[in-house]
Amino acid sequence: MATDVMPAHSETSRPEDNYLTASKGIMSWLVTLDHKRIGVMYLIGTMTAMFLGGFLALLLRAEHISGTPTFFTHDQYNQLFTLHGAIMVFLFIIPSIPAALGNFILPVMLGAKDVAFPRMNLCSFYLWVIGAIFFICALLTTGLDTGWTFYTPYSTNTSQTNVVLATFGAFILGFSSIFTGLNFIVTIHTMRPPGMTWFRMPLFLWSLYATAIIQVLATPVLGITLLLLAAERMFGLGIFDPKLGGDPVLYQHFFWFYSHPAVYIMILPAMGIISELISTFSRKPIFGYRFIAFSSMAIALLGFLVWGHHMFTSGQSEMVTIIFSVLTFSVSIPSAIKVFNWLATMYKGSIVLATPMCYALSFLFLFTIGGLTGLFLGALATDIHLHDTYFVVAHFHYVMMGGTLVAFIGGLFYWWPKMTGRMYNEFWGQISSLIVFVAFNLTFFPQFVMGSRGMPRRYYNYLPEFQVYHVLSTIGAFLLGFGLLLAAIVLIVSLFKGKKAPANPWGAATLEWQCGSPPPLANFEKTPTVGNPYDMNSVVWDPDTESFIRRGDVPPVTD
Ligand code: HEM
Ligand SMILES: [Cu+2]
């Protein structure tokens, strides 16, 4: 597979070239088949989406500086939270780690030259661009006010906004996600170099593999659901409309059958990054490798069985509700296994508080709060009270933003020297992580409190007793925006002012640190030596190159 595509994009390269300098000009990027360049393009695209979604979030929070109408009408507020949610979920969080970091890192970490289907990879990027354009068109024409969930009957019968355009956008984005997943599955199955057995794969790759299974199996369900929704709205088919014999709750089943597994598309790769960071910066092999690997697979499979916890108040039968509640609790087991193993890895490690590790520690704290508050929502009695309140908003921001986004930034700082060949400023990187951590809690912790006291989500006004929480949350949000901007500035400045990065600045033992920074076009000049990915003793600091290098006396594995 890859062998027949490699010559196509390596024939012009010279030995001193890396993937950034091998060919020049905008066209060499736009039609590139190199997974690294596609990863970089995805990175630019998803980061742009993140800052756009973040800007909308600040507008939402600004509205809540007072409990009376401040800047927007209720209709505008509905549009703002819909676009914020839809952009963050479909354009940012779902593609972010797999398509940007995963695309860049997966083949290098695996010891392969590229993904299995480079053309499909490029196609997936352009599908993302087209889907994003549909979304932006909906934003510029009539906006969108259904919430990111597109619930019927509002989306089919009532909303005056351009629902069809936005659903087509999400439909196309779905294909982009499927293509990425398919590519990763085939790459991991067929392109492992000699010695790279399944249980020598770094845990980030296991997490991407588990994610890819969900992408391939769950996304088609969303696709068909959105098509049915668009058809219902345009032609009044009566699939979801009770007047015509349909059932609106059916829509919720379809939607969450994808969208709960989709939360694991968002969080599993983040967990994979954390496994790498915790091990590298504790300078210790990961504790419980197999448990972490299998827990990713368990989460991916169990994740398909719990969608009904989003529908406890929809009138589904009591029996079904109890079953979904029990199953929901069972998903917390593999997640807790991971957290335990990360803590055990740090125990007695020599912890280095480099920026990526600071973000990883934030993740541990924030994800644990997010996960544990999920249990209150998964328990029937408490969910009836908490459903559709700010408690839910706080819960999913702790997992999606405190979890996925924070891990994503940690991973970005970690692999940045590899991707760009430049070291960033460590001091300002650490400061950014501190600001993000404090500001995040200031923004979202008050939401747990007001939610549990009855503040409903998706309201643009509120009663005076909620004022103090909203004001704290708004101040936190602006500070958080500043922290994220600072992180972006630290990275961008490094491109111009950063020291040249060595091949292995961190002392990690996974394969991506064996090739140059940035990697050559074909990743490795010669097939890399595969060993235990967490054997920190196999690398030593070399003062001459100011880099960690592989010890010569470590025997290569050949099985
Ligand atoms: C692991 C990453 C997770 C992510 C990314 C995530 C994300 C979300 C999102 C986006 C919602 C809001 C859905 C809406 O708009 O109504 C939500 C709600 C919910 N989550 Fe999570 N979640 C995660 C983990 C968990 C866990 C570990 C549990 C329970 C053990 C859980 C239980 C729930 C429940 C029951 C709801 C529905 C609440 C309600 O509607 O009242 N989630 N989650
Ligand atoms: Cu769910």
Side-chain angles (χ1 to χ4, degrees), residues 378-461:
L380 294 178
T382 35
D383 184 59
I384 304 301
H385 175 67
L386 296 170
H387 179 75
D388 260 349
T389 66
Y390 260 75
F391 192 92
V392 178
V393 180
H395 155 70
F396 68 76
H397 282 91
Y398 266 83
V399 267
M400 290 206 240
M401 189 169 185
T404 306
L405 178 66
V406 163
F408 177 71
I409 303 174
L412 195 57
F413 273 99
Y414 182 59
W415 283 304
W416 189 258
K418 183 59 56 185
M419 299 171 84
T420 64
R422 297 287 161 181
M423 297 303 289
Y424 57 84
N425 183 306
E426 196 56 75
F427 174 76
W428 287 108
Q430 287 160 329
I431 295 288
S432 79
S433 75
L434 194 68
I435 296 177
V436 168
F437 179 76
V438 173
F440 180 88
N441 285 298
L442 184 59
T443 312
F444 291 107
F445 201 81
Q447 299 186 358
F448 280 126
V449 182
M450 64 175 141
S452 62
R453 295 180 181 198
M455 172 72 213
R457 68 190 282 202
R458 296 180 169 172
Y459 277 37
Y460 91 126
N461 279 343

Side-chain angles (χ1 to χ4, degrees), residues 256 259-260 263 306-307 309-310:
W256 288 112
S259 291
H260 187 82
V263 306
V306 300
W307 78 92
H309 65 209
H310 295 274

